[in-house]
């Protein structure tokens, strides 16, 4: 069989596979939603007293990424987490940019009736969520109590798939590859383990579903390709450096073994935004809120204390 014949067979098989797997997953029952700016936004809360904290996830994460950290914070805080558009179970509605994410975040803060005197939340942004909380702080510093960049430098580094790959991964093949990948438990576990490290709990069936299902709901695939084409959201170095001039308590927290960034990144990020020296969590990689929730909670408590002192 020549190349043309093989291409016909592969294409036909891809279309057939996509047809068989066309059914979309339903979101879990019992989720809570609110209108945040122009996005119907899924969110969750923990705790009933104390200073508010809003948790903002990174790319391809969700509210559920915070499930180990949020209950610890809830001992002394009211904790809120939302799914940014394009992720989790919030409405998919582009563009998937820092500007749009920040508008959704500020809309969520308003919808939760936060941002006024005594109700100014700390924002914790993980990975690419660091850019979102930075942008929110630049736009509305008076509505916030502090900002933490967690495993993220907020920069637009151009990270993402090579442009050539984007052009090569065309339909129907890209849909087939995505669905095959999502159906492979070993691949999901390998990616999770590489980012999380040995301190993280192994993924059981529920854990696999937590990472897999959001990419199987209606609209998720088209949103994914749009986000991949745009690259990991971030800000220019000059924009991030503007945060140094904002009078808010700030902190930078990284896993000491986070290989997504260089060893210099935590210190450079802290200097850039005018924060104290960074907190490095020994043995942790990129998903510190999963591997080391107690250490991250302690860092949040430290920022809370700094925020309270600044408000006196």
């Amino acid at each position: 069989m020549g190349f043309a014949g093989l291409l016909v067979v592969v294409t036909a098989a891809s279309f057939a596979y996509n047809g068989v797997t066309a059914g979309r997953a339903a979101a879990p029952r019992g989720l809570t939603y609110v209108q945040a700016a122009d996005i119907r936004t899924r969110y969750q809360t923990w705790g009933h007293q104390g200073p508010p904290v809003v948790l903002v996830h990174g790319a391809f994460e969700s509210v559920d990424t915070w499930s180990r950290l949020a209950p610890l914070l809830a001992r002394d805080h009211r904790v809120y987490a939302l799914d940014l558009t394009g992720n989790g179970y919030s409405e998919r509605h582009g563009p998937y940019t820092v500007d749009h994410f920040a508008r959704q975040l500020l809309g969520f803060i308003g919808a939760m009736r936060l941002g006024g005197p005594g109700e100014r939340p700390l924002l914790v942004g993980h990975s690419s969520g660091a850019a979102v909380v930075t942008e929110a702080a630049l736009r509305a510093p008076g509505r916030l109590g502090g900002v933490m960049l967690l495993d993220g430098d907020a920069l637009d580094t151009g990270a993402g798939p090579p442009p050539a790959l984007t052009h090569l991964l065309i339909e129907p093949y890209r849909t087939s590859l995505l669905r095959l990948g999502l159906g492979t438990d070993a691949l999901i576990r390998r990616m999770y383990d590489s980012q999380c490290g040995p301190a993280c709990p192994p993924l059981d069936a529920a854990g696999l579903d937590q990472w897999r299902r959001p990419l199987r709901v209606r609209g998720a695939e088209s949103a994914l390709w749009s986000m991949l084409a745009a690259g990991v959201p971030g800000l220019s170095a000059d924009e991030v450096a503007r945060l140094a001039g904002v009078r808010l308590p700030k902190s930078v927290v990284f896993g000491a073994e986070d290989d997504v960034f260089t060893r210099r990144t935590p210190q450079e990020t802290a200097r850039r935004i005018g924060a104290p020296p960074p907190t490095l969590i020994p043995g942790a990689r990129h998903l510190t809120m999963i591997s080391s929730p107690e250490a991250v909670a302690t860092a949040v408590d430290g920022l809370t204390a700094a925020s309270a002192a600044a408000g006196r």
Side-chain angles (χ1 to χ4, degrees), residues 149 244 251-252 254 265-278:
L149 307 191
S251 66
V252 173
F254 272 78
T265 296
Q267 291 77 14
E268 290 172 349
T269 301
R271 287 195 297 269
R272 183 176 289 116
I273 69 171

Side-chain angles (χ1 to χ4, degrees), residues 234-290:
L235 302 170
S236 71
D238 287 344
E239 289 174 307
V240 176
R242 287 174 52 209
L243 190 57
V246 175
R247 299 190 60 173
L248 280 175
K250 305 147 198 152
S251 66
V252 173
V253 179
F254 272 78
E257 306 302 322
D258 187 341
D259 59 5
V260 173
F261 299 94
T262 71
R263 294 282 183 174
R264 301 186 305 275
T265 296
Q267 291 77 14
E268 290 172 349
T269 301
R271 287 195 297 269
R272 183 176 289 116
I273 69 171
T279 297
L280 299 179
I281 301 176
R285 296 184 189 173
H286 191 59
L287 297 175
T288 51
M289 66 288 212
I290 300 176

Side-chain angles (χ1 to χ4, degrees), residues 145-158:
V147 178
M148 175 182 288
L149 307 191
L150 177 63
D151 305 314
D153 61 5
L155 293 176
D156 179 3
T157 60

